[in-house]
Amino acid sequence: MKKRLLLVSNSTLHGSGYLDHCQQHISHFFGKDVKRVLFVPYALHDRDAYTKAARDKFKTLGYEVDGIHEASDPVDAVRKAEGIFIGGGNTFRLLKSLYDNKVVTEIRRRVIEDGVPYMGSSAGTNVATVSINTTNDMPIVYPPSFSAIGLVPFNINPHYLDPDPTSRHMGESREQRITQYHEEAETPRVLALREGSLLLVEADKATLLGTTGARLFTRGKTAVEYEPGSDLSFLLTH
Amino acid sequence: MKKRLLLVSNSTLHGSGYLDHCQQHISHFFGKDVKRVLFVPYALHDRDAYTKAARDKFKTLGYEVDGIHEASDPVDAVRKAEGIFIGGGNTFRLLKSLYDNKVVTEIRRRVIEDGVPYMGSSAGTNVATVSINTTNDMPIVYPPSFSAIGLVPFNINPHYLDPDPTSRHMGESREQRITQYHEEAETPRVLALREGSLLLVEADKATLLGTTGARLFTRGKTAVEYEPGSDLSFLLTH
């Protein structure tokens, strides 16, 4: 089976509704074979309300949605899933819940071995990578590890913001934060996805989709800009 | 002995130099009795360069600076310190280094039992509180715990930014992030210090200093605004 991932920077783009900006990509990604998508709402506090929002949206695209928290056995729900969508929110809460519910390994196995399509948005994109070391979120809970599901051999920074030369705020820019990350040893590449960008992975091919482009940060090298449509398959090799 | 803390939101205010905006408070805080300040540069990668910057600034205020990383035994350096200053940078790197060097307990003991004055800036302010759960930094390394030195019974969010109604960015506002924190159980109050604000603690008295005010976020309650000069001593009671 071939690995299939749709990694979205952000679920909602300014001025449009939930997942509107990427709905054609979602339909194309899950296609006609998938009827039901397993939704993982762990990143938000109100899991029922979050699942309802996802369910309502996916209904308009022709898919049924099951909330993983509605299943008596979440590992079994992953085992039976036709497709998986992990929504955004707080990355620390999400990763801790994935570990607490013991589904990290099973999600990895289903996606890598069984070719179950995996869609992530924001925090759900962070947890698909090597680690959550490049999330923007506040560390509101302490997960047992920062290691994530590891479906790709690099990290992503979603909601990437370019430095604002007019800002008077003295907190670090996103670029400075990623540079700090790369000051540490053995850190993988970081693909910074602006809001409106998404990455499609199909087996050994990775393509940058959306409208806003991405920036690739590699330890010890100058950052490189990529336009929408770029072939980023080289990221899939270590 | 009485506990004495100077907790600064940010080391550099837009348009001025390192620690310029709070230098009079620093001089008043360390006073005439302290001659040497132990500087903890763990939050930045280049500890020597960071210590030189702190040394140069403190020299102009009449204090000598020793870098904790220059000492052969950091715990002993804390044991002998007349005053402590923990600088800003990345909070995760800072807290991990404090644990790696086994100085968390000794710093707490010196400040609480011996009355050694403690100054923190940004990440150095975060680690003075209950936990680093309300830092803004990227989790570039995994510390053994998010629990911090615990010199006060609440948390702080430094570099606090008010929501920007004109922003088109869809990442969470700082207020939304703190609300997510308070969705978790047993979370302490969060004092959000805008850039230009600092908190002075002397025994059982806490005073908000600086020019920009602060916002207090309490679980289940509406946030409350405090003007510079406010008496925040109630924060020191559990």
Side-chain angles (χ1 to χ4, degrees):
Chain A
M1 300 295 288
K2 66 173 189 177
K3 176 169 74 179
R4 298 187 65 239
L5 316 172
L6 187 66
L7 303 177
V8 186
S9 173
N10 55 300
S11 60
T12 310
L13 202 57
H14 185 82
S16 65
Y18 181 60
L19 295 175
D20 283 354
H21 74 286
C22 54
Q23 62 182 15
Q24 287 181 309
H25 294 300
I26 296 172
S27 297
H28 191 261
F29 179 68
F30 286 115
K32 302 271 184 222
D33 292 341
V34 172
K35 307 291 181 204
R36 307 189 73 86
V37 173
L38 182 67
F39 178 61
V40 179
Y42 294 155
L44 288 190
H45 183 65
D46 189 339
R47 295 172 174 184
D48 288 334
Y50 197 15
T51 300
K52 181 179 185 309
R55 185 170 280 143
D56 291 349
K57 179 63 190 178
F58 272 72
K59 193 109 185 166
T60 69
L61 305 176
Y63 302 100
E64 299 295 322
V65 159
D66 300 303
I68 192 171
H69 68 299
E70 297 162 350
S72 56
D73 180 347
V75 177
D76 191 57
V78 173
R79 210 167 278 145
K80 293 173 177 160
E82 300 171 36
I84 297 169
F85 169 36
I86 303 191
N90 184 282
T91 310
F92 294 86
R93 176 154 53 194
L94 169 59
L95 187 62
K96 183 173 187 301
S97 296
L98 290 171
Y99 279 113
D100 287 350
N101 288 285
K102 300 180 169 53
V103 292
V104 172
T105 307
E106 190 61 22
I107 293 174
R108 185 188 302 124
R109 196 189 67 73
R110 291 303 316 279
V111 176
I112 303 284
E113 293 180 18
D114 296 347
V116 169
Y118 176 105
M119 174 180 161
S121 169
S122 193
T125 286
N126 274 122
V127 298
T129 67
V130 174
S131 76
I132 66 162
N133 286 110
T134 52
T135 176
N136 309 306
D137 293 340
M138 198 173 261
I140 63 172
V141 294
Y142 186 69
S145 166
F146 286 167
S147 294
I149 306 174
L151 303 176
V152 292
F154 54 91
N155 271 359
I156 286 179
N157 178 250
H159 296 274
Y160 180 70
L161 267 177
D162 293 289
D164 174 5
T166 69
S167 172
R168 298 171 63 87
H169 188 70
M170 299 299 287
E172 289 88 347
S173 70
R174 198 66 65 78
E175 185 166 357
Q176 287 170 324
R177 295 181 191 279
I178 296 170
T179 299
Q180 285 185 338
Y181 173 60
H182 277 143
E183 286 169 355
E184 301 299 319
E186 304 292 326
T187 43
R189 292 183 278 210
V190 180
L191 182 66
L193 289 177
R194 291 188 187 87
E195 294 190 348
S197 275
L198 50 162
L199 185 74
L200 174 67
V201 176
E202 298 191 277
D204 56 0
K205 188 166 167 61
T207 311
L208 184 62
L209 302 178
T211 54
T212 49
R215 250 178 121 67
L216 181 65
F217 293 89
T218 305
R219 189 166 192 250
K221 294 190 179 167
T222 308
V224 179
E225 184 69 28
Y226 289 95
E227 297 299 310
S230 294
D231 183 338
L232 300 182
S233 304
F234 67 93
L235 285 177
L236 301 174
T237 59
H238 285 269
Chain B
M1 300 295 288
K2 66 173 190 175
K3 176 168 74 179
R4 299 187 64 239
L5 315 172
L6 188 67
L7 303 177
V8 185
S9 172
N10 55 302
S11 61
T12 309
L13 202 58
H14 184 81
S16 65
Y18 181 60
L19 296 176
D20 283 354
H21 73 287
C22 54
Q23 60 182 17
Q24 287 181 309
H25 294 300
I26 297 172
S27 296
H28 190 263
F29 178 69
F30 285 116
K32 301 274 185 219
D33 292 343
V34 171
K35 306 292 180 201
R36 307 189 74 86
V37 173
L38 182 66
F39 178 61
V40 179
Y42 293 156
L44 289 189
H45 183 66
D46 189 338
R47 296 172 173 183
D48 288 334
Y50 198 13
T51 302
K52 181 178 184 312
R55 185 170 279 143
D56 290 349
K57 179 61 189 179
F58 272 71
K59 194 105 182 171
T60 69
L61 305 177
Y63 302 101
E64 298 296 321
V65 159
D66 300 303
I68 193 171
H69 68 298
E70 297 161 349
S72 56
D73 180 347
V75 177
D76 192 57
V78 173
R79 211 167 275 143
K80 292 173 177 159
E82 300 169 35
I84 296 168
F85 169 36
I86 302 191
N90 184 283
T91 309
F92 295 86
R93 175 154 55 193
L94 169 58
L95 187 62
K96 182 172 188 301
S97 296
L98 290 172
Y99 279 113
D100 288 348
N101 287 285
K102 302 181 169 51
V103 291
V104 171
T105 308
E106 190 61 21
I107 292 174
R108 185 189 300 124
R109 196 190 67 73
R110 291 304 316 279
V111 175
I112 303 283
E113 294 180 17
D114 297 348
V116 169
Y118 175 104
M119 173 179 162
S121 170
S122 192
T125 287
N126 274 123
V127 298
T129 67
V130 173
S131 76
I132 67 162
N133 286 110
T134 53
T135 177
N136 310 306
D137 293 340
M138 196 172 263
I140 63 173
V141 293
Y142 186 68
S145 167
F146 286 168
S147 295
I149 306 175
L151 303 176
V152 292
F154 55 91
N155 271 359
I156 286 178
N157 178 250
H159 296 272
Y160 180 70
L161 267 176
D162 294 289
D164 174 5
T166 69
S167 173
R168 298 171 64 89
H169 188 70
M170 299 300 287
E172 290 90 346
S173 69
R174 198 67 64 78
E175 185 166 357
Q176 288 169 323
R177 294 181 192 280
I178 296 170
T179 299
Q180 286 185 338
Y181 174 59
H182 277 142
E183 286 169 353
E184 300 299 319
E186 306 291 326
T187 42
R189 292 182 280 209
V190 179
L191 182 67
L193 289 176
R194 291 189 185 87
E195 294 192 346
S197 276
L198 51 161
L199 185 73
L200 175 67
V201 175
E202 298 191 276
D204 55 2
K205 189 167 168 57
T207 312
L208 185 63
L209 302 178
T211 54
T212 49
R215 246 176 126 68
L216 181 65
F217 293 88
T218 305
R219 188 166 193 252
K221 294 190 179 167
T222 308
V224 180
E225 183 69 28
Y226 289 95
E227 295 299 308
S230 294
D231 183 338
L232 300 180
S233 304
F234 66 93
L235 286 176
L236 300 174
T237 59
H238 284 268

